[in-house]
Amino acid sequence: MLNRIRICLKIGRKQWKRMGLLVLFISLVCNTSKADEIENLKKRAEDLPIFKAFGIKISGGLTGIFQGSLNNPKEFGGDGAAVEFSADLSLDGSIGDKGSFRLRFDFEHGSGLTDFPPVFTSPDENTTGPNNDVETFIPRDIVNEAWYTHRLLGDYVEITLGKIDLTGYFDQNKYANKETFQYIAQTFNNNNAIDWGGSVNFFGIGAVLTAHPTKTSAISLGWFQGDGNYKSLFDHPFLIGQLSLTTHWAGREGNYRLYGWGRLTPHCRDKSDPTVFLDCSLIDSADKIRIERRNVGVGASLDQQLSDFVGFWARMGFQDPNVSQFSSAFSAGLVTSGSPIGRPNDAIGIAYGIAIPSGDYKEATGFSEIEHYIEIYYKFVVTGDGSTTGFHLTPDFQLVANPGGDGSVHPVIVPGLRAQFHF
C-alpha cells in the first residue's frame, strides 16, 4: 500500500510540474495588459517624425509554444514537456518611389523538446543532417533581416540586397509557411529536402532578383552566402531559382512553384556517429569524412483554393542521396477558413508527410523505414484575424512514426498548445 502511495505521489509531482509549466506559459503569453501596452507603444512610435518621413510601419508578435511527448522511449529521455517563447519586431518603410526596406528583430528563448528520438523532421525546430538549417527557438542573432529592395523597369523587375529570410522568396505557401499561425512542425512549413544556405535559421547575406513577365508569373533567382559564417562569400554559395505561376481556375486561386537549388559548401560524414551527414564546417576536424563539395536538388510547392472554406497544399523535394540522411520528402494537407461552429476567423489544419532515407544513410545506420509525420491543429481566434492582428490559441497534435527511419521505435505523440499575439 505504501509503495502504491509513493508511486502515485511521484506521478502526481510530475503531472503537477507539467501543469505548472502550462499555466505559466498561458499566463505569460496571454497577459492582455501587456498586449495593450505594446499596441500603445506601437502607435506612439509610428507618430515620431522620422517614422512618418519614411512611412515606417511597425508589426510583430509574441509567440509561446508548449509541447509534451508521450510514448517517448526512456533511452531518449522518456515523456517530458517544454516551453519556448519568441518575440518578433519588424520595421517596414519606403525610400523614394522605387525603394523599400525592412529591419526585423527576433528575441527567442527555449530549446524545445530536446529529449526526443533522432528524427529527420522534428516537432518545432531543426531537422538533422545537412538539412539542419531551420529556425530554432534558442538564443541567437537578434537582427534576422536587414534588406533593401529596388524596383526597376516599370516595377517588372526588383532586386533585394542584404540579410534576407530565404523562405520569404522561395518555397512559399499560402497555407503552410509560418509556425506562428499555421502548422508548428517544421516539415509542414518548409521543404525539408532543401539544404538551405545561410545561417542555421534560414537567414543569410545575399541577393534576390525577381522578374514578373506577366501578371500571373514570376521568376526568382537567389544567391546567398553558403554556410552563414560571413566568410568566403563567393567561394561556396547557396544558389536557387524558382518559377511561380498563379491561376484562377473556376474563380479559385492557386499558386504553383517549381525550383532548383545547389549548396556548394563541402559536405562530410561524421566518423564517430554514422547518422550524421553535415556541412563540413559543422563537424570536428578529427571526425570528418569528406563526401562531396555540394548538394543539389529540385522541388515544388503548391497551394490551391478548393472552395470558399477549404484550401489544399502540397510539397515535394529531392536531393543528392550521397550527402543526405534522406533523399526525398513529401507533404500535403488541408486547411479550412473558418470552423464548423460558425467562427469565420478560426482555422483547422491537417497534414501528413514522409521522409525517405537515403541509401548511404541506410547502409551506415541500418535504419531503412520511411519516417511518417502527422499534425492536426485548431486555431481558436480570440480577437483579430488570426494571422496579422489579434490573439489566438491553437491546440496541436503531432505523431511521428519510424523516427529517423528506425522502425524499432514506437510512434511518439506530441500534444501541444500555441499562444500568439500579433500586432
Side-chain angles (χ1 to χ4, degrees):
M1 183 65 178
L2 289 175
N3 288 335
R4 290 182 181 178
I5 293 174
R6 292 190 186 102
I7 292 171
C8 290
L9 288 173
K10 183 178 180 181
I11 294 174
R13 284 195 296 270
K14 290 176 65 178
Q15 297 301 327
W16 278 110
K17 182 178 180 181
R18 293 174 189 171
M19 288 300 296
L21 281 173
L22 181 58
V23 171
L24 176 64
F25 159 75
I26 295 175
S27 64
L28 288 174
V29 179
C30 304
N31 191 322
T32 55
S33 62
K34 294 292 183 183
D36 293 338
E37 290 177 15
I38 292 172
E39 284 287 1
N40 290 333
L41 287 173
K42 173 187 173 183
K43 293 177 181 178
R44 291 170 61 185
E46 289 180 342
D47 286 335
L48 293 174
I50 188 172
F51 277 54
K52 286 187 174 181
F54 291 96
I56 296 175
K57 298 297 182 182
I58 303 175
S59 62
L62 303 173
T63 308
I65 299 177
F66 174 91
Q67 288 184 308
S69 61
L70 301 174
N71 205 36
N72 188 27
K74 291 183 179 180
E75 60 265 34
F76 300 116
D79 296 346
V83 178
E84 310 100 57
F85 294 96
S86 67
D88 291 282
L89 179 66
S90 295
L91 307 179
D92 294 275
S94 58
I95 300 179
D97 295 332
K98 298 293 184 179
S100 59
F101 69 89
R102 166 172 286 187
L103 289 175
R104 178 184 168 197
F105 306 92
D106 198 8
F107 310 88
E108 303 183 353
H109 185 70
S111 56
L113 288 174
T114 55
D115 293 333
F116 205 77
V119 288
F120 295 139
T121 50
S122 72
D124 64 351
E125 46 172 333
N126 286 357
T127 53
T128 56
N131 300 89
N132 73 334
D133 299 335
V134 178
E135 183 176 356
T136 70
F137 284 87
I138 60 175
R140 49 175 174 75
D141 289 346
I142 293 178
V143 180
N144 278 350
E145 295 182 81
W147 50 255
Y148 171 76
T149 294
H150 196 83
R151 295 179 294 279
L152 305 166
L153 302 177
D155 295 348
Y156 285 104
V157 176
E158 61 185 35
I159 184 169
T160 302
L161 304 168
K163 189 174 184 182
I164 303 168
D165 177 0
L166 282 64
T167 65
Y169 293 86
F170 304 96
D171 187 45
Q172 311 98 306
N173 200 288
K174 179 179 179 180
Y175 301 113
N177 212 75
K178 191 64 175 175
E179 75 279 1
T180 56
F181 63 90
Q182 294 172 331
Y183 298 94
I184 295 177
Q186 185 56 49
T187 188
F188 301 130
N189 286 311
N190 286 109
N191 194 336
N192 284 321
I194 298 179
D195 193 355
W196 294 100
S199 59
V200 293
N201 49 31
F202 285 159
F203 307 109
I205 295 294
V208 178
L209 178 67
T210 301
H212 302 273
T214 67
K215 292 182 178 180
T216 59
S217 65
I219 299 173
S220 301
L221 302 174
W223 166 88
F224 299 92
Q225 205 271 326
D227 55 14
N229 63 6
Y230 298 91
K231 300 177 181 178
S232 304
L233 292 179
F234 300 100
D235 291 345
H236 308 295
F238 173 81
L239 305 173
I240 186 169
Q242 176 174 283
L243 171 64
S244 304
L245 299 174
T246 299
T247 64
H248 291 88
W249 296 333
R252 308 296 185 188
E253 181 179 314
N255 298 283
Y256 299 80
R257 308 165 191 87
L258 298 173
Y259 42 81
W261 56 269
R263 185 171 183 175
L264 307 186
T265 55
H267 284 71
C268 294
R269 287 175 55 184
D270 192 330
K271 287 190 296 186
S272 62
D273 188 346
T275 67
V276 173
F277 293 63
L278 280 176
D279 186 316
C280 291
S281 63
L282 301 177
I283 301 178
D284 293 338
S285 58
D287 293 325
K288 291 180 182 178
I289 304 175
R290 187 178 292 269
I291 311 171
E292 299 278 352
R293 290 190 60 84
R294 62 182 185 177
N295 188 9
V296 297
V298 295
S301 173
L302 68 93
D303 55 77
Q304 176 64 56
Q305 185 181 9
L306 300 181
S307 71
D308 292 341
F309 305 104
V310 179
F312 170 79
W313 66 269
R315 282 191 178 94
M316 63 183 68
F318 306 88
Q319 62 182 345
D320 187 346
N322 295 315
V323 297
S324 309
Q325 279 100 329
F326 53 98
S327 57
S328 54
F330 304 87
S331 58
L334 295 171
V335 177
T336 69
S337 298
S339 72
I341 59 176
R343 296 182 53 83
N345 291 326
D346 288 4
I348 301 172
I350 182 170
Y352 169 71
I354 62 173
I356 301 175
S358 67
D360 285 359
Y361 177 83
K362 294 177 185 178
E363 183 179 350
T365 64
F367 302 153
S368 59
E369 300 297 326
I370 296 173
E371 181 178 279
H372 299 267
Y373 220 108
I374 294 173
E375 180 173 1
I376 301 171
Y377 72 82
Y378 183 98
K379 182 172 66 176
F380 181 85
V381 179
V382 181
T383 62
D385 62 12
S387 58
T388 61
T389 60
F391 172 72
H392 69 257
L393 286 169
T394 306
D396 185 80
F397 170 89
Q398 298 178 36
L399 182 145
V400 188
N402 303 328
D406 187 353
S408 67
V409 178
H410 294 298
V412 180
I413 297 171
V414 182
L417 177 66
R418 175 182 61 206
Q420 161 76 6
F421 166 70
H422 198 105
F423 58 89

